């Protein structure tokens, strides 16, 4: 799903890591998630250290059921693992004509504003909203300036990264070297350094950590979450949070989808600053990538392809 949407940082390039975790006994491939706390609109799911995708599917489907029944579903998960792109799970709600949010914490890779060490993950936020005739709002973003996968892709390709994506081991010096970010440095929070308002991204990053890890009861939070490596020797115990809203419970006339499509159309029709680059809304670039992939196939980096063949 990620590669089809033009997000190679979260696509099949993760297969090697997932297989490594399974081989190292860090994930239970036979685990079945279970509900540890439940109410009509909310629940907490114990992932039992299963694959993140298995836990996330269980959690989001439960959230969808609750939203369809009560209007709102709120489900958190703990004792889980990496679940891929957050937007995939929001899309499950979108297909049911629900507004869907998905969040997850991850291993520390973000250096907080004024800090000199990693203390938060990429902690993404996804929000999908249904419009008319298949149109939709699809936001899927890290709360770091970029996800770590983009740094890894640049490192594999031998490319420099733009200033503002990451810092070196000092925590305050921006660097264009992906190696310095990956070894000893870290990602900047969304917004970059303090002078470009990176503290706002830092705050959003903490919000996701609270919703996913603190609220679900994860044993380790923030800087204490184990690194995402096959030699870590212990489960990562990631937490997720899913929220679903049935707009028809708030607007019984069904005006939400019509109004949203009108809003999206208004934004797309704004006069562009560059005549050759039209104004887009979140989800438009990814939809174009999906259309291209359906016609020409999914593009994979050569190194990723070789890694898959070696599994």
């Amino acid at each position: 799903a990620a590669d089809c949407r033009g997000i190679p940082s979260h696509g099949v390039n993760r297969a090697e890591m997932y297989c490594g975790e399974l081989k190292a006994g860090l994930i239970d491939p036979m685990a079945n998630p279970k509900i540890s706390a439940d109410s009509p609109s909310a629940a907490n799911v114990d992932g039992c250290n299963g694959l993140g995708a298995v836990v996330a599917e269980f959690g989001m489907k439960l959230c969808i059921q609750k939203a369809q029944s009560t209007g709102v579903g709120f489900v958190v998960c703990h004792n889980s693992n990496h679940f891929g792109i957050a937007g995939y799970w929001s899309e499950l709600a979108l297909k049911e004509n629900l507004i869907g949010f998905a969040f997850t914490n991850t291993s520390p890779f973000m250096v907080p504003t004024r800090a000199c060490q990693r203390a938060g993950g990429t902690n993404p936020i996804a929000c999908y909203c249904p419009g008319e005739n298949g149109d939709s709002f699809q936001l899927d973003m890290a709360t770091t300036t970029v996800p770590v996968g983009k740094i890894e892709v640049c490192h594999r390709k031998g490319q420099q990264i733009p200033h503002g994506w990451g810092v070196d081991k000092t925590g305050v010096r921006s660097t264009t070297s992906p190696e310095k970010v990956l070894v000893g440095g870290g990602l900047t929070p969304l917004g970059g350094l303090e002078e470009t308002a990176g503290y706002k991204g830092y705050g959003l990053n903490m919000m996701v950590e609270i919703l996913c890890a603190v609220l679900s009861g994860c044993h380790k939070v923030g800087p204490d979450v184990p690194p995402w490596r096959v030699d870590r020797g212990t489960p990562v115990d990631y937490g997720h949070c899913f929220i679903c809203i049935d707009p028809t419970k708030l607007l019984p006339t069904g005006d939400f989808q019509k109004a949203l499509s009108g809003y999206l159309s208004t934004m797309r029709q704004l006069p562009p600053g560059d005549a050759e680059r039209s104004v887009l809304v979140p989800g438009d670039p990814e939809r174009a990538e999906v259309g291209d992939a359906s016609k020409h196939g999914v593009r994979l980096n050569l190194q990723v392809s070789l890694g898959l063949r070696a599994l």
Side-chain angles (χ1 to χ4, degrees):
D3 290 292
C4 288
R5 293 173 64 83
I7 312 174
S9 60
H10 285 60
V12 294
N13 73 311
R14 293 301 188 200
E16 190 173 355
M17 181 63 178
Y18 295 156
C19 290
E21 289 179 294
L22 289 167
K23 288 179 181 178
L26 296 169
I27 297 176
D28 181 359
M30 305 303 292
N32 291 310
K34 60 184 181 182
I35 299 173
S36 58
D38 197 19
S39 70
S41 290
N44 191 347
V45 172
D46 182 350
C48 300
N49 195 33
L51 286 161
V54 174
V55 179
E57 182 178 37
F58 183 92
M60 178 51 97
K61 287 187 174 180
L62 177 62
C63 191
I64 288 170
Q65 293 171 4
K66 291 182 178 298
Q68 290 171 331
S69 176
T70 68
V72 177
F74 194 107
V75 173
V76 293
C77 307
H78 62 282
N79 200 10
S80 186
N81 288 279
H82 193 278
F83 75 3
I85 57 169
Y88 179 83
W89 309 111
S90 291
E91 189 173 15
L92 295 184
L94 182 74
K95 290 177 179 178
E96 300 295 329
N97 290 316
L98 301 172
I99 297 171
F101 293 86
F103 313 84
T104 186
N105 76 330
T106 67
S107 297
F109 223 102
M110 182 272 299
V111 178
T113 304
R114 299 191 181 184
C116 62
Q117 69 177 55
R118 300 173 182 177
T122 55
N123 293 18
I125 296 171
C127 172
Y128 281 29
C129 305
E132 287 187 314
N133 302 317
D135 199 7
S136 59
F137 172 87
Q138 299 184 9
L139 175 69
D140 184 358
M141 53 173 258
T143 52
T144 49
T145 301
V146 292
V148 65
K150 282 198 173 183
I151 308 291
E152 293 169 340
V153 169
C154 289
H155 186 253
R156 282 197 196 98
K157 293 181 177 180
Q159 298 175 344
Q160 295 290 288
I161 60 174
H163 268 296
W165 281 18
V167 292
D168 63 14
K169 62 183 180 181
T170 67
V172 294
R173 272 200 307 256
S174 178
T175 180
T176 60
S177 167
E179 184 175 2
K180 287 184 178 179
V181 173
L182 294 171
V183 182
L187 300 171
T188 56
L190 183 63
L193 301 177
E194 184 171 5
E195 55 263 36
T196 53
Y199 47 84
K200 295 181 181 180
Y202 170 35
L204 286 173
N205 190 280
M206 288 189 66
M207 179 195 77
V208 174
E209 193 77 23
I210 292 166
L211 289 174
C212 296
V214 180
L215 186 58
S216 70
C218 290
H219 292 111
K220 294 185 177 180
V221 177
D224 297 324
V225 177
W228 196 39
R229 301 196 309 256
V230 294
D231 63 351
R232 64 180 182 265
T234 185
V236 289
D237 188 18
Y238 286 169
H240 318 312
C241 176
F242 304 106
I243 305 171
C244 292
I245 301 169
D246 182 353
T248 64
K249 295 293 196 298
L250 302 172
L251 292 172
T253 57
D255 286 343
F256 175 78
Q257 292 182 346
K258 180 180 179 180
L260 177 60
S261 288
Y263 175 42
L264 297 177
S265 178
T266 296
M267 300 305 288
R268 291 182 178 120
Q269 292 173 19
L270 290 171
D274 182 340
E276 296 182 0
R277 294 167 61 87
S278 59
V279 177
L280 305 176
V281 300
D284 284 349
E286 291 79 9
R287 270 187 287 267
E289 289 284 347
V290 170
D292 183 72
S294 65
K295 293 179 181 178
H296 307 294
V298 179
R299 295 186 296 271
L300 293 181
N301 175 269
L302 177 60
Q303 293 304 315
V304 172
S305 301
L306 293 175
L308 281 175
R309 290 173 181 172
L311 290 177

